[in-house]
Amino acid sequence: MKTEELILMAILGAGDTRPWCLKFNGTNTTINSGSAASLDDIPAVSDLTVDGWIYISSDVGGAGIAAKGDGSITTRGWHIYTTGVGTVRIYVNHATSEAAAEAACSANAWAHFAGFYDQSAKKGRVAINGVWGTLGALCVGAYVSETADSLMFGSTALGKFNGRMGWMRLSNNDRYNGAAGDSFSPPSRRVTPALDANTVGLWPINEGTGSTADDISTNNNNGTIANGVWLRD
């Protein structure tokens, strides 16, 4: 390649304003944010909203988007994952039955997802691009604790996420009025949301280099990246 072409590529690269994101290879890419007390058992004491931006390259059944549980999905903790049939599902384990719900999500396009668990009603719901799916059935029994399990992005024991992720957030409230199911305008993918009192964790996933996904909330549960590739998209 000629010197002039190399210089032009460097100039164009420096001016690239597309946001950074992390590519997950569907095999062994993960972000592990640990199991600090600030992340433990949120559904046992409050509502839970997990939201962020995803690009599904291959819709793999059981592939984790965000999860804090044993990884098998049906034993303890909570999981948000792709189903392999064009939906994203939230699954929150209780002693007798689970809170489960899902919503349609297309592959090969960026989408904002929100997984919501209503702690008082013991029901779940998923929104894609601001449109809520059906409220899940009432679950029975106490929440099954996951204090021994790490918060993982991109992984369950059943599958690894294949695609890209932008910012991810955990909140201890009903951030988008999921209980009522009102449609909403999703926050921008290009701009990391502002912190507020209900932010438990917020990972911009925009570092562009290295193996750490910083948690910019006051809890500082930074994630360790394994086998990810940084991209602008």
Side-chain angles (χ1 to χ4, degrees):
M1 186 176 289
K2 296 181 179 179
T3 302
E4 294 86 351
E5 292 174 327
L6 291 171
I7 293 173
L8 179 60
M9 287 177 63
I11 292 172
L12 291 174
D16 193 342
T17 60
R18 293 175 300 169
W20 287 103
C21 63
L22 191 69
K23 181 180 179 181
F24 290 68
N25 62 21
T27 302
N28 59 2
T29 306
T30 59
I31 301 176
N32 185 333
S33 287
S35 184
S38 56
L39 299 172
D40 289 343
D41 291 345
I42 296 171
V45 296
S46 70
D47 291 347
L48 171 69
T49 302
V50 184
D51 75 310
W53 283 89
I54 55 174
Y55 183 110
I56 300 170
S57 296
S58 179
D59 185 6
V60 178
I65 297 171
K68 194 170 189 306
D70 69 322
S72 69
I73 296 178
T74 59
T75 303
R76 64 177 179 265
W78 58 265
H79 302 76
I80 298 173
Y81 57 96
T82 58
T83 62
V85 292
T87 61
V88 168
R89 178 180 294 161
I90 185 171
Y91 198 104
V92 184
N93 283 286
H94 289 70
T96 304
S97 63
E98 72 284 344
E102 59 191 59
C105 186
S106 299
N108 299 310
W110 280 103
H112 177 264
F113 79 94
F116 166 64
Y117 171 72
D118 186 328
Q119 195 268 338
S120 60
K122 292 187 176 182
K123 295 181 179 181
R125 200 170 218 158
V126 175
I128 300 297
N129 293 326
V131 179
W132 288 103
T134 303
L135 191 66
L138 173 69
C139 64
V140 179
Y143 177 70
V144 183
S145 176
E146 26 67 0
T147 57
D149 303 303
S150 293
L151 171 64
M152 302 293 295
F153 296 104
S155 174
T156 71
L158 302 184
K160 301 297 188 288
F161 184 76
N162 190 331
R164 301 164 220 170
M165 289 190 186
W167 60 258
M168 294 281 156
R169 175 171 56 179
L170 265 66
S171 305
N172 60 6
N173 69 335
D174 183 358
R175 185 167 290 281
Y176 299 112
N177 202 14
D182 297 331
S183 298
F184 61 93
S185 296
S188 172
R189 179 172 71 90
R190 289 179 168 270
V191 180
T192 303
L195 297 173
D196 60 27
N198 295 111
T199 304
V200 176
L202 180 56
W203 296 263
I205 312 183
N206 64 0
E207 286 78 6
T209 186
S211 58
T212 300
D214 291 332
D215 173 12
I216 62 173
S217 78
T218 56
N219 291 315
N220 300 124
N221 291 307
N222 298 335
T224 299
I225 300 168
N227 305 303
V229 176
W230 290 104
L231 299 173
R232 285 191 182 274
D233 187 12

